[in-house]
Amino acid sequence: MRQFGTIFKFELKSYLKNKIFVGVTVLLVAVIAAVMFFPSLMDGIGGTTGGSDSENESGASSGTEGLMLFFAEGVEGEEMLLASFEEAFSDYEVGKTEDSEERIKERVASGEAKCAFVLRSPTSYTYYVDNLSMYDANTGIADTVLGNVYQVNAMTKSGMTPEQVTEALNVEILGETENLGKDQMQNFFYTYIMIFALYMVILLYGQMVATNVATEKSSRAMELLITSAKPVSMMFGKVLSSCLAGFLQIVAVFGSAILFYNLNREQWGDNYIIASLFDMPVSLLLYMLVFFVLGFLMYAFLFGAIGSTASKLEDINTSVMPVTLLFVAGFVVVMFSMSGGNVDSLLMQICSYVPFTSPMAMFTRIAMSTVPVYAVAASIAILIVSVIAVGVISAKIYRVGVLLYGTTPKIGEILKAMKRA
């Protein structure tokens, strides 16, 4: 135990003193701070929106998009059409004009007016704009307005009173949704972030574990260490220290995000996406931590064992490729299932019990579906047993790997060496 403690402290200090580790952590916290404080900075630069001349006391804007010319001379129901356009295009200053069509084009082209609608009849028009934006939805709004006005006039002519027309067009449809399970859309965002964070941390720190082990082996320092410490203590010390370092980095990043969000909660207002990210249930947060730690340990042990078999530092990327591809395959399966909304497919259910994919698959199902308690318990139990088994086997490979130099050994050679050891 003393050997494990010594190795654990040494490896953890090397992570915490690493300039790249500290720099990346500080950079991520700074980016999070910039994002969370962005609304406050905009308010400070542009002033409060409530005191703007372009908005009234209720916050409704008036003419913020510029002047919209409206021409409907000789068209039946001209005044009603104008009033409807003013209501529908509240962001524009809708101005009735009697200019000729050529003059209207000139005013739009010169920038005097933002755009113009020239009505030829109650159901046809020409829309003039200088530069048509890919997000321009004015014609869609105009189609809806003209359609509504035409319906009102048609029903009025058929004998319906204005009150009856209003009642028919504004009938209230009452719908109620009662969710008996999980709201996938509500949980999608923080589930995606957790899976993506696990993906990045495993690939980053797993590669670091493998690289550190290979570096020690290439410098012959591992031969000295292996004679004074047990392989199990060395392997578990290296892996657990990297796990704790990664966990501390994640706590720093996500903890600062929560802190900065609470400081700027009012500025973010009712932003659904941002609010859903920080409203994660406590039970789901605990599941996230359990699967995150176990999943990290599983792959860190594998990366450490593979790193001990590499003869040269340059061989690391090639050696760890099979494990990396295995993890990426699980990540792709989970991402496709999340995007399709089918997180309870047969493939996902199988992946929920396979130790190499269960940290991502089972957590996704817990967050976005209803999973029986016994199924969750079975998945966690299998994962814990697998982590311990992989850790012990990795320690044995680590012990044998330090003595294997030259070409990268094959699996059969490693198994034979483990039997002799």
Side-chain angles (χ1 to χ4, degrees), residues 202-267:
I202 284 180
L203 291 185
L204 175 62
Y205 284 93
Q207 189 81 12
M208 289 177 66
V209 171
T211 302
N212 290 341
V213 172
T215 302
E216 291 177 355
K217 181 179 178 179
S218 61
S219 65
R220 301 282 179 166
M222 192 184 294
E223 295 180 3
L224 299 176
L225 293 173
I226 204 71
T227 59
S228 57
K230 296 180 179 180
V232 174
S233 298
M234 294 186 64
M235 177 59 73
F236 276 79
K238 289 178 177 295
V239 170
L240 291 179
S241 62
S242 66
C243 179
L244 181 58
F247 183 75
L248 291 175
Q249 188 176 55
I250 289 177
V251 169
V253 173
F254 284 92
S256 62
I258 294 173
L259 174 62
F260 297 147
Y261 171 72
N262 288 325
L263 293 176
N264 297 273
R265 183 184 291 269
E266 294 182 0
Q267 280 74 18

Side-chain angles (χ1 to χ4, degrees), residues 147-158:
N148 290 338
V149 172
Y150 183 83
Q151 290 174 4
V152 170
N153 290 332
M155 286 187 286
T156 303
K157 289 178 180 178
S158 65

Side-chain angles (χ1 to χ4, degrees), residues 239-312:
V239 170
L240 291 179
S241 62
S242 66
C243 179
L244 181 58
F247 183 75
L248 291 175
Q249 188 176 55
I250 289 177
V251 169
V253 173
F254 284 92
S256 62
I258 294 173
L259 174 62
F260 297 147
Y261 171 72
N262 288 325
L263 293 176
N264 297 273
R265 183 184 291 269
E266 294 182 0
Q267 280 74 18
W268 281 105
D270 297 328
N271 189 298
Y272 173 77
I273 297 178
I274 297 297
S276 66
L277 293 178
F278 294 95
D279 289 340
M280 182 185 296
V282 177
S283 59
L284 196 59
L285 179 62
L286 294 177
Y287 279 126
M288 183 188 75
L289 295 177
V290 170
F291 283 109
F292 186 91
V293 171
L294 293 176
F296 179 87
L297 292 177
M298 169 67 69
Y299 281 94
F301 280 128
L302 291 175
F303 277 110
I306 293 174
S308 66
T309 63
S311 299
K312 296 181 295 182

Side-chain angles (χ1 to χ4, degrees), residues 1 4 35 47 72 116 133 151 163 213 225 243 280 287 294 326 381 393 404:
M1 192 66 184
F4 166 77
V35 172
S133 169
Q151 290 174 4
E163 291 75 15
V213 172
L225 293 173
C243 179
M280 182 185 296
Y287 279 126
L294 293 176
L326 176 64
I393 295 173
L404 297 176

